[in-house]
Amino acid sequence: MNMVDKEAAPTSPMEVVGMGPRDEDGSSSSSLRTAETLLRLLPIAPCVVALVVMLHDSQTNDFGSLSYSHLGAFRYLVNANGICAGYSFLSAIIAAKARAATKCQAWTFFFLDHVLTYLVLAAGAASMEVLYLAYKGDSAVNWSAACESFGGFCHKATISVAITFVAVTCYALISLISSYKLFSKYDAPDPVAIQTATFHA
């Protein structure tokens, strides 16, 4: 009697190539959890460095004084990096736990990872736009290039923004891992079922 052993057969293409965890206690699952924990800790350093550099970014000379606090985009960058550093630390602690992640936890990580990625990306993009105007000016509205007079301020701001984009790269990788962990273990919501439920409601 030929019967297929369903337990022995791989349940997804990821398992065929050895990328997905076959069980909660397997070496693949443990390795992925360790990698995720380390990757979640990785953005803390660039976030804190970018935050500290921007906090100390001010310059006073014969033309006046200029500080990061005078520009909303730079204040946003400081707050975004602080939030991301705190989230990275807390999420790494949760990810390092040996117990299996629940469906709710997987969806929470997926959602928050993407929110934080876009948060720090927006902070870096807004700050980069301000830096562009500071370096180039805008002749259409008679804005002069402020960096000609406040070179030291612009130099520190540039360093902070560049480091922020390092954190963006880290968060993009974290988002990919949380997406893989979620959708390799749990099915996406069935659109037919959702439409049916909405129709009956």
Side-chain angles (χ1 to χ4, degrees):
M1 185 175 184
N2 294 328
M3 297 184 64
V4 178
D5 187 357
K6 294 184 178 180
E7 294 183 357
T11 58
S12 70
M14 291 297 183
E15 290 184 4
V16 174
V17 296
M19 293 179 61
R22 294 180 182 271
D23 55 73
E24 296 297 337
D25 299 322
S27 59
S28 296
S29 179
S30 177
S31 299
L32 182 61
R33 183 170 59 249
T34 302
E36 181 187 6
T37 301
L38 294 176
L39 188 58
R40 288 184 178 279
L41 290 172
L42 191 59
I44 295 178
C47 284
V48 171
V49 172
L51 183 153
V52 171
V53 171
M54 188 62 79
L55 281 176
H56 290 84
D57 191 11
S58 62
Q59 184 177 358
T60 302
N61 54 27
D62 295 337
F63 298 97
S65 61
L66 186 60
S67 173
Y68 85 94
S69 60
H70 297 159
L71 300 167
F74 289 170
R75 294 197 304 270
Y76 174 42
L77 183 138
V78 168
N79 292 328
N81 276 302
I83 292 171
C84 289
Y87 172 75
S88 293
F89 180 73
L90 292 176
S91 64
I93 293 176
I94 297 174
K97 292 184 178 180
R99 64 182 180 83
T102 62
K103 185 176 182 179
C104 179
Q105 179 179 315
W107 274 105
T108 301
F109 270 153
F110 172 79
F111 175 74
L112 292 179
D113 288 345
H114 282 76
V115 168
L116 270 293
T117 300
Y118 288 117
L119 176 71
V120 70
L121 175 61
S127 298
M128 189 165 59
E129 181 181 7
V130 171
L131 275 176
Y132 177 83
L133 292 174
Y135 276 107
K136 301 294 184 179
D138 191 344
S139 57
V141 292
N142 294 322
W143 282 359
S144 60
C147 290
E148 294 179 357
S149 304
F150 297 93
F153 174 84
C154 291
H155 180 66
K156 283 187 176 181
T158 301
I159 293 174
S160 180
V161 172
I163 297 174
T164 297
F165 278 103
V166 174
V168 171
T169 303
C170 295
Y171 267 100
L173 293 174
I174 292 172
S175 296
L176 288 175
I177 287 183
S178 62
S179 298
Y180 166 72
K181 288 189 65 178
L182 174 64
F183 295 113
S184 65
K185 187 174 182 181
Y186 303 105
D187 292 331
D190 186 359
V192 176
I194 294 176
Q195 291 178 1
T196 304
T198 304
F199 176 77
H200 286 299

